[in-house]
Amino acid sequence: MSKYALPRLEFDSPLVTTLFAIERMRADIGTGSTPPDVYADLHQLFDTVMSVVSARIEGNHTTVYDALDRLNATGPALDDQIREISNIAGAVRFIDGIATETPLTHSLVRELHRRAVDGLVREGDPTPGAYRDKEVGITLPAVRWHPG
């Protein structure tokens, strides 16, 4: 049994109200006195961190430090793990660039998928931007247990 557990909260809990208030403040970060260039840099950093987190959910083991170091590097083509992070960040920038009134449609979902898997081998898709017509599964790496 884990010594850590997520608390069970009722929706009328004061903590839930506070969490929603914090989320609203995060969305309004650009309305203060932060200089635009600093805001843009922070926004890009946040997008990169969130892209790394998203890629890690998919099994990518790149650290935030490695992503920041290698995303801006010049030279040979990006390896699959860095390209995955770059693609996710690009899809987020695409979302940021479309009108807030843009409806969530099948074609928008397919475009986001196309952008997220573009050029990937390990996490790629033979039909980027199209719905799959066969089942896929998540495979977990073998876990080695060492007593002691």
mmCIF file of all heavy atoms in Angstrom, residues 30 32-45:
data_model
loop_
_atom_site.group_PDB
_atom_site.id
_atom_site.type_symbol
_atom_site.label_atom_id
_atom_site.label_comp_id
_atom_site.label_asym_id
_atom_site.label_seq_id
_atom_site.Cartn_x
_atom_site.Cartn_y
_atom_site.Cartn_z
ATOM 1 N N GLY A 30 -1.350 36.970 -18.201
ATOM 2 C CA GLY A 30 -0.907 38.009 -19.115
ATOM 3 C C GLY A 30 -1.582 39.348 -18.927
ATOM 4 O O GLY A 30 -1.298 40.290 -19.655
ATOM 5 N N GLY A 32 -1.421 41.299 -16.222
ATOM 6 C CA GLY A 32 -0.772 42.131 -15.210
ATOM 7 C C GLY A 32 0.301 43.022 -15.806
ATOM 8 O O GLY A 32 0.251 43.419 -16.964
ATOM 9 N N SER A 33 1.308 43.313 -15.010
ATOM 10 C CA SER A 33 2.362 44.230 -15.416
ATOM 11 C C SER A 33 3.604 43.513 -15.953
ATOM 12 O O SER A 33 4.646 44.138 -16.140
ATOM 13 C CB SER A 33 2.749 45.107 -14.223
ATOM 14 O OG SER A 33 3.221 44.287 -13.166
ATOM 15 N N THR A 34 3.502 42.214 -16.229
ATOM 16 C CA THR A 34 4.628 41.458 -16.759
ATOM 17 C C THR A 34 4.971 41.983 -18.150
ATOM 18 O O THR A 34 4.100 42.080 -19.010
ATOM 19 C CB THR A 34 4.277 39.958 -16.855
ATOM 20 O OG1 THR A 34 3.866 39.509 -15.571
ATOM 21 C CG2 THR A 34 5.464 39.144 -17.324
ATOM 22 N N PRO A 35 6.251 42.324 -18.404
ATOM 23 C CA PRO A 35 6.637 42.774 -19.744
ATOM 24 C C PRO A 35 6.309 41.690 -20.783
ATOM 25 O O PRO A 35 6.484 40.496 -20.510
ATOM 26 C CB PRO A 35 8.145 42.995 -19.636
ATOM 27 C CG PRO A 35 8.397 43.179 -18.172
ATOM 28 C CD PRO A 35 7.359 42.344 -17.471
ATOM 29 N N PRO A 36 5.842 42.093 -21.957
ATOM 30 C CA PRO A 36 5.420 41.115 -22.970
ATOM 31 C C PRO A 36 6.494 40.092 -23.340
ATOM 32 O O PRO A 36 6.180 38.923 -23.529
ATOM 33 C CB PRO A 36 5.059 41.982 -24.182
ATOM 34 C CG PRO A 36 4.725 43.311 -23.595
ATOM 35 C CD PRO A 36 5.591 43.462 -22.380
ATOM 36 N N ASP A 37 7.765 40.492 -23.430
ATOM 37 C CA ASP A 37 8.798 39.528 -23.802
ATOM 38 C C ASP A 37 9.032 38.504 -22.689
ATOM 39 O O ASP A 37 9.251 37.324 -22.956
ATOM 40 C CB ASP A 37 10.099 40.225 -24.201
ATOM 41 C CG ASP A 37 10.635 41.156 -23.116
ATOM 42 O OD1 ASP A 37 9.836 41.673 -22.314
ATOM 43 O OD2 ASP A 37 11.870 41.359 -23.086
ATOM 44 N N VAL A 38 8.949 38.943 -21.434
ATOM 45 C CA VAL A 38 9.082 38.011 -20.303
ATOM 46 C C VAL A 38 7.888 37.067 -20.289
ATOM 47 O O VAL A 38 8.037 35.855 -20.097
ATOM 48 C CB VAL A 38 9.202 38.766 -18.961
ATOM 49 C CG1 VAL A 38 9.160 37.807 -17.782
ATOM 50 C CG2 VAL A 38 10.475 39.602 -18.939
ATOM 51 N N TYR A 39 6.693 37.617 -20.505
ATOM 52 C CA TYR A 39 5.492 36.789 -20.555
ATOM 53 C C TYR A 39 5.608 35.740 -21.656
ATOM 54 O O TYR A 39 5.313 34.568 -21.441
ATOM 55 C CB TYR A 39 4.243 37.654 -20.778
ATOM 56 C CG TYR A 39 3.010 36.828 -21.009
ATOM 57 C CD1 TYR A 39 2.386 36.174 -19.954
ATOM 58 C CD2 TYR A 39 2.486 36.657 -22.283
ATOM 59 C CE1 TYR A 39 1.269 35.394 -20.153
ATOM 60 C CE2 TYR A 39 1.364 35.871 -22.490
ATOM 61 C CZ TYR A 39 0.760 35.251 -21.433
ATOM 62 O OH TYR A 39 -0.335 34.466 -21.641
ATOM 63 N N ALA A 40 6.070 36.148 -22.841
ATOM 64 C CA ALA A 40 6.208 35.209 -23.961
ATOM 65 C C ALA A 40 7.199 34.099 -23.620
ATOM 66 O O ALA A 40 6.956 32.925 -23.917
ATOM 67 C CB ALA A 40 6.642 35.954 -25.223
ATOM 68 N N ASP A 41 8.320 34.462 -22.983
ATOM 69 C CA ASP A 41 9.313 33.453 -22.588
ATOM 70 C C ASP A 41 8.735 32.487 -21.553
ATOM 71 O O ASP A 41 8.945 31.270 -21.638
ATOM 72 C CB ASP A 41 10.570 34.111 -22.022
ATOM 73 C CG ASP A 41 11.429 34.770 -23.085
ATOM 74 O OD1 ASP A 41 11.204 34.524 -24.285
ATOM 75 O OD2 ASP A 41 12.331 35.549 -22.698
ATOM 76 N N LEU A 42 8.016 33.012 -20.571
ATOM 77 C CA LEU A 42 7.400 32.153 -19.551
ATOM 78 C C LEU A 42 6.348 31.243 -20.172
ATOM 79 O O LEU A 42 6.252 30.060 -19.819
ATOM 80 C CB LEU A 42 6.780 33.002 -18.436
ATOM 81 C CG LEU A 42 7.774 33.689 -17.505
ATOM 82 C CD1 LEU A 42 7.040 34.658 -16.578
ATOM 83 C CD2 LEU A 42 8.566 32.671 -16.713
ATOM 84 N N HIS A 43 5.575 31.792 -21.098
ATOM 85 C CA HIS A 43 4.543 30.994 -21.769
ATOM 86 C C HIS A 43 5.185 29.855 -22.558
ATOM 87 O O HIS A 43 4.725 28.706 -22.503
ATOM 88 C CB HIS A 43 3.712 31.899 -22.696
ATOM 89 C CG HIS A 43 2.526 31.227 -23.282
ATOM 90 N ND1 HIS A 43 1.387 30.963 -22.550
ATOM 91 C CD2 HIS A 43 2.295 30.747 -24.525
ATOM 92 C CE1 HIS A 43 0.507 30.358 -23.328
ATOM 93 N NE2 HIS A 43 1.037 30.214 -24.523
ATOM 94 N N GLN A 44 6.276 30.149 -23.278
ATOM 95 C CA GLN A 44 6.973 29.119 -24.044
ATOM 96 C C GLN A 44 7.564 28.057 -23.117
ATOM 97 O O GLN A 44 7.494 26.865 -23.396
ATOM 98 C CB GLN A 44 8.065 29.741 -24.908
ATOM 99 C CG GLN A 44 8.784 28.724 -25.772
ATOM 100 C CD GLN A 44 9.853 29.349 -26.632
ATOM 101 O OE1 GLN A 44 10.136 30.536 -26.549
ATOM 102 N NE2 GLN A 44 10.461 28.545 -27.470
ATOM 103 N N LEU A 45 8.145 28.498 -21.997
ATOM 104 C CA LEU A 45 8.694 27.553 -21.020
ATOM 105 C C LEU A 45 7.595 26.656 -20.465
ATOM 106 O O LEU A 45 7.756 25.438 -20.380
ATOM 107 C CB LEU A 45 9.392 28.306 -19.887
ATOM 108 C CG LEU A 45 9.948 27.450 -18.750
ATOM 109 C CD1 LEU A 45 11.027 26.500 -19.254
ATOM 110 C CD2 LEU A 45 10.486 28.336 -17.632
#
